[in-house]
Every structure is written in structure tokens, then in C-alpha cells.
Amino acid sequence: MKISVVVVGNLQTNCYILERGNSVFIIDPGDNAELIASNISSDKRVLGIIITHSHDDHTGASLDLLNKYNTRLYNGHNLSEGNHVIENFSFDVIKTPGHMDDSISIYFKEDKVMFVGDFIFKGGIGRTDMIGSSPFDMKQSIKKLLKYPSDITLMPGHFGVTVLANEIENLNYFLTKL
């Protein structure tokens, strides 16, 4: 799977474009629909848009892209936890509330990559002091994440990419502080 990142909006959100063959998924199109679309070849078919959580900086360009590509929106409200196969993409949906009550992470097991939105960052976790967030839920989500292989790449909603192994110490620290 080819993964491209387009950084969009005032909060510098990572919008990911996933390609497998002629098919594409867009994850977290927070802003700049035209910029995102300019990174998708016209011979590709957009199968859908996946939203990791419902904050505007992750959803802002969704409507424009849904209309442009006549595709479907997937999120924590219409994706159940577990494995999903959509054409040539196979991924697991993991409910990871804490930063937001509708937060999900998307795990591509064969590629060893997980898209975590604002759940985990390189060196940190998402805020739990906002409407829709919960320190208790964040703690449960961290415990769930720590059961995954430590060599998976985490693709956050902001900042740089990291590997779960590099975050274990920080995550265990947050478990004691939340």
C-alpha cells in the first residue's frame, strides 16, 4: 500500500491518502479539498473517506470530497469494531475513545501501520479535557493499544510518524497519570 500525507489547515492536520492498485482511501481530510484532490491521480477511484474522529480539523474538507468523488464516509458511527474488507483494502477498526468519544484507529495488519488520529502522538496523547473526551476512556484505549505488536507504525493526526515501541514508555506513564 502506498501512503501519502498532505498536511492541511491551520492546525496542520495530517490527511492520509492510501493507494492500493487503482483504489484510494482518504483519511482525515481536515481542510483544503483542492490540495487533497490534487494529490490523487485522475485514474484512481476513491472508495471512501475515513474519519478518525469528528473534530473539524479532521473533517473540514469531507463534504467537498464526498461530492467530488461521489463516495462514502466511514467513521466511528458506521464502522463496527473488527475487520472490514472494502474491495482491495482490508483493515481492522479499533474503537479508541478518550480524545473524543467517537475516536477510532484504523489498523492495516499486513502493512503494519495504524492510523490513530488524535489518540496518540509522537511523544504524547490527545487531549482529554474537552467536550466529548474522557481520561478514563483514554486509559482503556491505551491499554487496548499496548496489546498490539510493538513494531507497528503509528500515523497520527498531527506531527510526525512514530512506532509503537518508541511510545510504550510514554503510554505507561500516561496510564499512571490519567
Side-chain angles (χ1 to χ4, degrees):
M1 176 170 67
K2 178 184 174 193
I3 303 169
S4 303
V5 62
V6 181
V7 180
V8 297
N10 292 335
L11 296 178
Q12 300 291 282
T13 303
N14 294 330
C15 171
Y16 296 101
I17 300 169
L18 315 182
E19 292 183 36
R20 184 165 275 140
N22 286 333
S23 302
V24 170
F25 263 104
I26 302 168
I27 297 180
D28 287 348
D31 199 357
N32 306 93
E34 291 176 15
L35 177 62
I36 295 167
S38 73
N39 282 273
I40 300 171
S41 176
S42 62
D43 64 333
K44 305 289 183 187
R45 189 166 56 97
V46 177
L47 299 178
I49 296 170
I50 300 173
I51 303 297
T52 61
H53 66 288
S54 57
H55 284 153
D56 289 344
D57 62 314
H58 292 259
T59 65
S62 296
L63 186 57
D64 289 341
L65 293 167
L66 286 168
N67 290 332
K68 177 176 181 57
Y69 294 111
N70 190 29
T71 193
R72 184 166 177 199
L73 183 75
Y74 298 93
N75 59 33
H77 300 291
N78 64 10
L79 284 173
S80 60
E81 193 163 48
N83 187 257
H84 294 265
V85 177
I86 300 173
E87 296 202 16
N88 54 345
F89 287 88
S90 175
F91 56 90
D92 292 333
V93 172
I94 306 144
K95 302 279 184 174
T96 51
H99 174 66
M100 203 44 204
D101 53 9
D102 66 347
S103 292
I104 58 174
S105 294
I106 309 298
Y107 179 41
F108 290 85
K109 186 175 182 177
E110 82 178 49
D111 299 287
K112 292 186 169 188
V113 64
M114 185 183 294
F115 297 87
V116 294
D118 289 357
F119 168 37
I120 303 291
F121 298 115
K122 187 175 188 175
I125 60 172
R127 290 179 57 184
T128 60
D129 62 343
M130 304 177 345
I131 294 172
S133 67
S134 163
F136 175 81
D137 288 345
M138 178 63 83
K139 203 172 193 176
Q140 300 312 307
S141 293
I142 289 171
K143 288 177 183 177
K144 190 185 292 188
L145 179 67
L146 288 172
K147 294 177 182 176
Y148 283 83
S150 63
D151 64 341
I152 62 175
T153 300
L154 302 177
M155 310 290 277
H158 305 272
F159 316 116
V161 171
T162 188
V163 176
L164 181 55
N166 296 340
E167 302 306 319
I168 290 173
E169 186 177 335
N170 286 331
L171 294 174
N172 282 318
Y173 168 81
F174 286 116
L175 285 176
T176 66
K177 297 300 176 190
L178 289 172

